[in-house]
Amino acid sequence: MCIRDRMMMGTLESILVTSTRITTIVISYAIFGSIFGLASIFILLLIGYAIFGISAFSTATIYTWIIFILTTLMMVGFGMMFGGLTIWLKNIGDSIPFLQDITMFFCGVYFPPEVLPHPLEYVSYLIPFYYSMEGLRKSLIPSTDFAEIIFYIIILLALSISSLYVGVVTLNKGLEKAKKEGTLAFY
């Protein structure tokens, strides 16, 4: 469940007044989400193997797993940012699904960004998840140059650190504001 759901049910304040640190709560939600994400990926890989005979594990390298872990950390940072904004603003409406759709369109989930009109192709370079998608693709191709994979790992490392930092700051500022105004239980 996300922070908005906890706020709507009125349980966020109860959770936050316990002796549990906010980092423990955030890490617990991240682990919970990651486990279900990994389970769905595993099911998709099994289906791919059963129907098409494709084994992703044979082509995955250590770099694939590093890119996957860095992407997960980056997503946790973005989750904390949006959680902090939800606590701060109380209603961020449909902005999250809208941003998710734009991100998926431009980052290469549906098609490679190279097929976009030339000016729009450059928009994809501004979206952090483009580097996750491209890094994962490149790491699964055996003939990819090592320097190219390292480039994506370095970019994702920087994006992960910065998104986690901004996420922690945003979440803490949102909590401080809500505690000061006494609006943790209200949505």
Side-chain angles (χ1 to χ4, degrees):
M1 293 197 128
C2 66
I3 289 178
R4 184 178 71 81
D5 296 336
R6 295 286 179 208
M7 289 174 70
M8 289 178 69
M9 290 188 317
T11 58
L12 180 64
E13 188 172 27
S14 302
I15 292 171
L16 293 176
V17 296
T18 65
S19 61
T20 309
R21 295 177 42 197
I22 188 68
T23 53
T24 304
I25 295 169
V26 170
I27 290 171
S28 299
Y29 278 113
I31 291 171
F32 179 76
S34 297
I35 288 171
F36 276 100
L38 286 172
S40 66
I41 288 171
F42 183 72
I43 290 169
L44 289 172
L45 290 175
L46 282 178
I47 291 170
Y49 180 74
I51 295 175
F52 302 109
I54 299 170
S55 176
F57 293 110
S58 64
T59 58
T61 63
I62 187 68
Y63 305 114
T64 306
W65 294 107
I66 291 170
I67 291 170
F68 181 74
I69 290 167
L70 289 173
T71 300
T72 302
L73 290 173
M74 183 174 61
M75 291 174 72
V76 168
F78 280 107
M80 287 190 294
M81 283 182 228
F82 289 123
L85 289 173
T86 301
I87 293 170
W88 189 322
L89 303 173
K90 300 297 178 230
N91 188 6
I92 53 178
D94 293 328
S95 61
I96 304 300
F98 178 70
L99 288 173
Q100 182 180 6
D101 291 342
I102 289 174
T103 298
M104 289 175 65
F105 182 81
F106 282 106
C107 79
V109 170
Y110 302 123
F111 50 82
E114 293 82 29
V115 301
L116 290 169
H118 199 60
L120 291 178
E121 181 183 342
Y122 294 111
V123 173
S124 64
Y125 302 136
L126 300 174
I127 301 195
F129 296 105
Y130 164 80
Y131 299 98
S132 298
M133 297 301 295
E134 284 300 308
L136 286 171
R137 275 193 197 105
K138 301 285 185 185
S139 70
L140 291 171
I141 299 172
S143 62
T144 304
D145 187 35
F146 174 73
E148 195 172 358
I149 294 173
I150 291 299
F151 167 76
Y152 289 106
I153 289 174
I154 291 170
I155 294 282
L156 286 171
L157 180 64
L159 288 169
S160 298
I161 291 169
S162 60
S163 70
L164 285 169
Y165 177 75
V166 173
V168 167
V169 169
T170 305
L171 187 61
N172 284 334
K173 292 291 183 185
L175 286 171
E176 284 175 21
K177 181 181 182 274
K179 286 178 181 178
K180 188 183 296 183
E181 295 174 355
T183 58
L184 276 175
F186 303 104
Y187 186 72

